[in-house]
Amino acid sequence: MAQDAALKAAPPAHLRMRIRMLEPVTLIWVILVVGLFFLIAAPLLKMLVISFEEQDTGDFTLMNYATAYGRQRYLDALRNSLLLGLLSAAISTIIAVPMAWAVSRTDMPGKGFTWAMILAAFVMPPYLGAIGWILLAGPNSGWINQVWRAVTGAQDPLMNVYTFGGLAFVIALHSFPLVFIFVKSALDLISSEMEDAANIMGAGTWTTMRKVTLPLVWPSILGGFILIFLETIALFGTPAIIGIPARINVVTTQLWQFFEDPVRVEVAAAYSIPLLLITVALIGVQKLLLSRKGFVSQTGKGGERRQIKLGPWRWVLFAWCFGVALLAVLKPLLVLLQASFAKAWGRGFSLDNLTLRNYRMLLFEHDMALQSVWNTIWFSAASAGLALILGAPLAVWAAFGAPFTPDIPVLRGFNFRGGITVSPEFAALLVGLVTYTAGFIAEVVRAGIQSVQHGQWEAAQALGLPRGRMMRLIVLPQALRVIIPPMTSNYLNLTKNSSLAVAIGYQDIVSIANTTLNQTGQAIEGIAIIMLVYLTISLSISLFMNWYNARIALVER
């Protein structure tokens, strides 16, 4: 009887077989899914629940939604965000696609210069670019308008950044590198044989580009468009600097007002729900548009990629790239650089107006300035690392038995000794940016893995390789050439987003600089120094990622 009971209690044979065949990578995926549920799904569910609760009692109510959408001002902010996202994404696409085609497929001169300017446009924080364009295109004191009035004698400004179109234009000038990187990476994978076939059929260069080349990279163009749209509707810095003085209210600035006294968290949660619905709807639209066509090119090897000879038209493309660089980088950078060395930026450029006092005061005389720079670097590195390797330490411990000795805090005297002190502000900002960036990185990795031909997977399975070795030896080496370029963009974007620490009181470089600005009144000079700090950090990240991208590049034979 005891033996029969033991046999009944034992798991079935097929279940034991499945347990033995379970690979470690499956356990890692389960841990990652559980972790992402608590990091992403749980806060979203909490926000949804709060949107239906009364502020004082916690009872169920729909008044939060009635308040959130009961005023025309709030509805206008939602409409403005949608229109701003569409307009900024459209301008970014128009700017980036010709540049990506010119750099990837043609013999346009100055490709190195174009790459450097695109990198500089991306690493410059958006709010600093907004400050630069306020100094350039402010209706009264902007440099461009001052020169325009001096030359023509006109009273009206040539450019006014405090308009809806001006706001969208400034956002697009710092968002188009996303589309550029997506489209260029896709163009680099297309063989010139397809364009040769179109030329043999009688199609010219521009017809081939329009009917053959660009349709093949349509998924990348659409993905970049959607990404910039989502980035724009979630952007706070530029709309706050340009939109609020121009009386252009958007969702992010309106949410900020909900957290002013009196704080209305429940109304803010209800007002945020449409952003989630819009994101889900855009993902559905993307899948619907891409499901109607196939975007797979059947080739044996990688194929030869030759540059298209454009003749005199190559200088037209270079002029386009140079004009974009002038508007996105050179002009704002020049005016901010001049302001950082100026005693008073309004006096213009002159030798007697130059000084190093701004840098000395911020970097050496301020007590917390250097610590704030270190906080920014440490926070950006920690967020980027956790976003990429979420759950990897568990895999290392399981596979190699890495030692782990916890340091438990112990109360000694009047304070705790041992352990690690993590402030609530740092923890909140770290978790928020890690989960936010992890979503973009997941899409980048997914796209890279899907770029590997299915035949490679089938060949590995036919050889009997486990899924872990298949990913490590076959899939990832081919997918990394697609993953690394947009991954670099995400790391640079994460560095810029770390400036949101000022919103929750964490002491980073922006917070310390704001305190310094309030004490000295030299706003433009301090902001220019912030720009140089972020530029140095971003260039370091870019140099390392470009070195790594060149190191893991596949060599075709």
Side-chain angles (χ1 to χ4, degrees):
M1 297 294 293
Q3 185 177 4
D4 294 340
L7 291 175
K8 291 181 180 180
H14 69 278
L15 182 59
R16 294 197 301 270
M17 181 64 69
R18 288 188 177 183
I19 293 176
R20 284 197 300 267
M21 295 180 62
L22 186 66
E23 298 181 4
V25 67
T26 305
L27 179 61
I28 295 176
W29 282 115
V30 172
I31 295 174
L32 287 176
V33 169
V34 174
L36 291 176
F37 174 80
F38 284 103
L39 291 175
I40 298 178
L44 293 179
L45 291 176
K46 179 64 175 178
M47 185 178 67
L48 182 62
V49 171
I50 291 177
S51 67
F52 291 101
E53 292 181 350
E54 289 188 5
Q55 184 173 4
D56 298 326
T57 63
D59 296 334
F60 177 83
T61 181
L62 294 176
M63 286 303 299
N64 296 325
Y65 286 88
T67 303
Y69 304 104
R71 294 183 58 182
Q72 187 63 38
R73 172 183 173 83
Y74 302 158
L75 297 177
D76 290 341
L78 182 60
R79 176 180 59 85
N80 289 338
S81 289
L82 297 178
L83 293 178
L84 184 64
L86 290 174
L87 184 57
S88 299
I91 297 174
S92 299
T93 304
I94 294 173
I95 292 174
V97 172
M99 296 179 69
W101 181 75
V103 173
S104 177
R105 312 297 290 183
T106 72
D107 61 342
M108 181 193 74
K111 291 184 179 181
F113 169 80
T114 303
W115 258 114
M117 291 299 100
I118 290 172
L119 174 63
F122 193 82
V123 302
M124 184 184 298
Y127 63 88
L128 293 182
I131 292 293
W133 270 99
I134 289 175
L135 299 178
L136 284 170
N140 297 321
S141 58
W143 284 19
I144 295 177
N145 293 321
Q146 289 183 11
V147 173
W148 169 256
R149 292 189 179 99
V151 173
T152 64
Q155 298 296 325
D156 296 330
L158 176 65
M159 301 179 63
N160 186 3
V161 73
Y162 292 111
T163 60
F164 193 86
L167 176 60
F169 181 71
V170 172
I171 293 175
L173 287 179
H174 298 278
S175 300
F176 79 90
L178 290 173
V179 179
F180 175 88
I181 293 175
F182 274 56
V183 176
K184 183 185 180 300
S185 299
L187 287 172
D188 289 342
L189 299 177
I190 297 177
S191 173
S192 298
E193 296 170 355
M194 299 186 177
E195 296 167 336
D196 294 341
N199 293 331
I200 293 174
M201 297 297 294
T205 300
W206 303 107
T207 303
T208 302
M209 177 194 67
R210 184 169 52 89
K211 294 187 176 182
V212 177
T213 308
L214 292 184
L216 287 174
V217 297
W218 168 241
S220 298
I221 297 175
L222 183 60
F225 183 94
I226 293 177
L227 181 61
I228 291 180
F229 176 84
L230 295 177
E231 285 276 355
T232 301
I233 64 176
L235 187 63
F236 174 77
T238 305
I241 293 175
I242 297 179
I244 291 179
R247 300 183 182 274
I248 301 174
N249 198 25
V250 295
V251 169
T252 51
T253 56
Q254 185 58 55
L255 286 173
W256 174 56
Q257 295 176 23
F258 284 140
F259 285 93
E260 294 180 340
D261 191 34
V263 178
R264 293 175 290 176
V265 178
E266 293 79 9
V267 178
Y271 197 67
S272 303
I273 297 300
L275 296 180
L276 302 178
L277 300 179
I278 291 170
T279 303
V280 174
L282 283 176
I283 294 175
V285 170
Q286 181 187 24
K287 292 184 177 180
L288 178 63
L289 292 177
L290 297 182
S291 63
R292 296 182 178 182
K293 295 182 180 181
F295 298 92
V296 178
S297 57
Q298 300 293 337
T299 58
K301 297 183 179 180
E304 184 181 2
R305 297 171 182 85
R306 295 185 301 274
Q307 293 183 350
I308 300 174
K309 305 297 183 180
L310 295 179
W313 286 100
R314 63 195 181 118
W315 294 105
V316 176
L317 280 179
F318 177 73
W320 173 265
C321 295
F322 182 80
V324 173
L326 190 66
L327 296 175
V329 178
L330 298 179
K331 283 187 175 181
L333 188 61
L334 178 62
V335 69
L336 287 173
L337 188 63
Q338 182 271 333
S340 69
F341 288 99
K343 298 178 181 177
W345 72 272
R347 292 171 53 185
F349 180 80
S350 60
L351 295 179
D352 61 344
N353 193 33
L354 298 180
T355 181
L356 293 175
R357 181 171 55 87
N358 302 320
Y359 288 91
R360 185 178 65 253
M361 181 269 299
L362 185 60
L363 298 179
F364 300 105
E365 297 178 1
H366 199 286
D367 296 335
M368 299 184 64
L370 292 179
Q371 180 62 37
S372 66
V373 174
W374 166 247
N375 288 343
T376 300
I377 297 174
W378 155 244
F379 176 74
S380 300
S383 300
L386 288 177
L388 178 63
I389 58 173
L390 186 62
L394 297 176
V396 173
W397 293 331
F400 301 101
F404 175 65
T405 304
D407 187 9
I408 302 175
V410 178
L411 181 61
R412 295 178 180 176
F414 296 98
N415 203 349
F416 285 92
R417 302 292 179 87
I420 300 176
T421 302
V422 178
S423 65
E425 296 83 3
F426 179 84
L429 195 60
L430 182 64
V431 172
L433 278 188
V434 164
T435 53
Y436 176 77
T437 308
F440 292 98
I441 291 180
E443 283 298 304
V444 170
V445 175
R446 181 183 65 83
I449 292 176
Q450 289 183 344
S451 68
V452 180
Q453 294 185 3
H454 192 64
Q456 303 282 338
W457 297 77
E458 295 176 347
Q461 292 173 352
L463 292 174
L465 291 178
R467 279 185 293 179
R469 296 190 65 188
M470 185 193 312
M471 290 292 295
R472 182 169 57 88
L473 299 177
I474 297 177
V475 177
L476 285 182
Q478 301 181 69
L480 282 176
R481 60 176 181 171
V482 180
I483 293 175
I484 294 301
M487 190 77 76
T488 304
S489 301
N490 279 284
Y491 285 157
L492 294 175
N493 204 29
L494 176 60
T495 302
K496 296 187 296 184
N497 289 338
S498 67
S499 60
L500 293 175
V502 69
I504 61 173
Y506 183 70
Q507 297 297 316
D508 74 329
I509 182 65
V510 178
S511 177
I512 298 301
N514 286 340
T515 303
T516 304
L517 303 185
N518 293 330
Q519 293 176 353
T520 63
Q522 295 178 303
I524 303 302
E525 295 82 353
I527 289 175
I529 295 176
I530 297 175
M531 181 201 68
L532 294 179
V533 171
Y534 274 103
L535 189 62
T536 303
I537 298 173
S538 300
L539 287 176
S540 302
I541 295 174
S542 178
L543 289 175
F544 173 78
M545 294 299 292
N546 287 335
W547 168 82
Y548 182 72
N549 187 33
R551 184 178 178 85
I552 56 94
L554 295 178
V555 179
E556 297 183 356
R557 298 179 179 176

